[in-house]
């Protein structure tokens, strides 16, 4: 138990808080009132957070510099992080199914086809993921955009 809560509840609350913080920090300015409010909050949070971290003696400026370069790498440059995340989610879910639930199938509620079907589904998913990752997407130009619209 952490802070009097079960670990799963603490993890859920922590994930929600971090997700909300990232949402407020990285959502851009939009046209409606809600988005403008988020943009103002984003500017305030980032400005004060950077000032607070930079004021840490010895390591503050290097933390800010490292955070900025990590943000630029993750958000604004080509990297394999989304592909790795997708692979981890697919293979992690499949592994969880194989370890925890495969021995429970078939039963009175789940047909025997579910013993064999997940292997084909995950196999096709990973094959299409490989094709999508290795195929050159090409370029959308002023002449070719109507083909993709």
């Amino acid at each position: 138990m952490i802070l009097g809560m079960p670990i799963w509840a603490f993890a859920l609350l922590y994930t929600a808080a971090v997700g909300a913080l990232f949402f407020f920090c990285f959502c851009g300015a939009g046209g409606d009132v809600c988005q403008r409010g988020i943009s103002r909050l984003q500017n305030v949070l980032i400005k004060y957070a950077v000032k607070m971290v930079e004021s840490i003696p010895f390591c503050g400026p290097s933390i800010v510099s490292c955070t900025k370069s990590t943000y630029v790498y993750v958000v604004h440059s080509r990297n394999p992080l989304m592909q790795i995340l997708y692979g981890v989610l697919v293979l992690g879910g499949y592994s969880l199914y194989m370890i925890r639930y495969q021995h429970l199938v078939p039963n009175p509620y789940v047909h025997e086809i579910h013993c064999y079907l997940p292997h084909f589904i995950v196999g096709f998913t990973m094959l299409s993921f490989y094709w999508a990752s290795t195929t050159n997407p090409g370029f959308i130009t002023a002449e070719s955009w109507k083909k993709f619209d």
Side-chain angles (χ1 to χ4, degrees):
M1 302 217 17
I2 300 173
L3 301 175
M5 293 186 285
I7 291 176
W8 66 268
F10 180 77
L12 183 67
L13 185 64
Y14 177 78
T15 304
V18 169
L21 183 64
F22 276 125
F23 175 77
F24 286 126
C25 287
F26 297 120
C27 285
D32 64 349
V33 175
C34 179
Q35 285 287 48
R36 285 194 303 266
I38 290 173
S39 180
R40 274 190 237 120
L41 180 61
Q42 169 190 8
N43 291 337
V44 168
L45 281 175
I46 290 178
K47 183 172 73 172
Y48 288 118
V50 167
K51 282 184 181 179
M52 184 178 71
V53 172
E54 281 182 335
S55 67
I56 299 172
F58 303 112
C59 63
S62 62
I63 291 173
V64 171
S65 171
C66 181
T67 304
K68 286 180 181 179
S69 63
T70 302
Y71 173 77
V72 168
Y73 174 73
V74 170
V75 177
H76 297 292
S77 67
R78 293 182 178 182
N79 60 59
L81 297 177
M82 289 306 292
Q83 291 176 316
I84 292 170
L85 175 66
Y86 181 78
V88 166
L89 289 175
V90 169
L91 295 177
Y94 180 65
S95 300
L96 183 67
Y97 167 76
M98 292 302 294
I99 292 168
R100 300 286 308 262
Y101 303 109
Q102 177 68 23
H103 69 281
L104 300 174
V105 177
N107 63 44
Y109 304 106
V110 179
H111 193 267
E112 185 179 357
I113 190 80
H114 291 90
C115 290
Y116 312 108
L117 200 58
H119 309 297
F120 294 110
I121 292 172
V122 171
F124 180 74
T125 301
M126 293 310 293
L127 182 64
S128 65
F129 172 66
Y130 173 75
W131 285 336
S133 298
T134 57
T135 303
N136 184 2
F139 294 98
I140 298 177
T141 61
E143 295 81 28
S144 67
W145 74 270
K146 288 186 179 181
K147 186 168 75 172
F148 301 106
D149 192 19

